[in-house]
Amino acid sequence: MVRALLLGLAGLLTAVPIGAQTDPSMTAREATRMLEDAASALREADGARDRVEALTETVRAYEHGLDALRAGIREAALREQTIVLVFEAERERLAQLLGVLQRIEEAPAPATLLHPEGPLGTARLGMIVADVTPAVAREAVALREQLEELAVLRALQDGAIAELERAVQGVQEARTELSQAIADRVDLPERFDLDGAAMAQLAGSIDSLSSFASLLGESTAETTADLPDFESARGDLALPVLGALLRRFDEADAAGIARPGVLYAVEPRALLTAPWPASIRYAGPLLDYGNVIILEPDADYLLILAGAGDLFVSAGELVPGGAPLGLMPGQTGEDETDLIVSEAQGGGAGLTETLYMELRQGGSPVNPLDWFTAN
């Protein structure tokens, strides 16, 4: 019975790999480095020649660092849950094992080798003990390492949550300073001729985002900018916001409605940036989409971003690639410490806002995921 017990425990304990805490630890360390760099950049932004650009990069660095730190916390929490579940499932068998080990340790050495059946029984018992003893040692080591790993994971989570709270304050400060820097700038973006009144009247007369985009596609903006070839960017564009893909191109939602774009779950107040140099054909509220930004990176293309909150741009501006366009709506920092999530919740916990993105070529929707590096 003892031998069967030990062999069963061997399979269970080795099913949870020792040292699996490496990935959460490495993720958390890298995230901490990123956040320290972001904090340093925020301190240096005041002296930057282009403060808006410096603060934009700072907010991006904070957002990527926070995303990595949350991933490290989730990985550590899930790893801890896995170990605890194995212990809970085998509570009784582990108790039996510990009891057996304790009795073996307390019993006098000669008594452990005596058997009622005489010398033959004693010999057989000696063979069993010799066979089982290495397994006992291995399982004792495995059990100790699992317990040590639990302690490491819990310490990692405690430290990461403290770092998370500091970083959330940092990114909020960086976003506030970016908003103020954009409001204070005197070197305004280059503009092109645009009939704002006609655009507002057009926006108020349409019944869908698609019809508005189609009408915009039929008209041309008389810009003076010499924009780089947008076709050359296919597959290499950075996403305009950091988020998790919810629905793909033409994928139906829960109501069975398929839209000619993609939908991302994003963090409240996440920064929106221009993925390519472009003219701003429209920026403002539209129907029930919240604030909508429509960029024209090329004469034959329109990139639509719907669901924004605060806007940093207005229709008629020419923006370089990477320029800040606005912030997503919502409030941050409400429950940032509630990040030890179950596996069912996954990595999307806390991503409470959504951004709809559509790309049109020649007036027809195309799959935006063919153009961006993060799918």
Side-chain angles (χ1 to χ4, degrees), residues 271-294:
L271 178 64
L272 287 168
T273 56
W276 191 256
S279 59
I280 306 296
R281 294 293 303 278
Y282 181 80
L286 189 68
L287 300 175
D288 58 350
Y289 288 95
N291 279 326
V292 174
I293 305 169
I294 300 181

Side-chain angles (χ1 to χ4, degrees), residues 326-352:
L327 297 173
M328 294 297 294
Q331 296 293 325
T332 58
E334 294 176 353
D335 197 13
E336 291 290 347
T337 59
D338 188 19
L339 292 165
I340 303 179
V341 297
S342 68
E343 189 172 7
Q345 288 175 295
L351 304 182
T352 58

Side-chain angles (χ1 to χ4, degrees), residues 54-73:
L55 287 169
T56 299
E57 292 300 322
T58 299
V59 173
R60 280 176 171 167
Y62 265 120
E63 290 182 347
H64 283 278
L66 281 166
D67 186 61
L69 189 60
R70 292 183 180 112
I73 293 174

Side-chain angles (χ1 to χ4, degrees), residues 209-226:
L209 178 61
S210 294
S211 62
F212 185 56
S214 297
L215 290 172
L216 280 185
E218 293 172 2
S219 63
T220 57
E222 296 183 3
T223 68
T224 58
D226 184 16

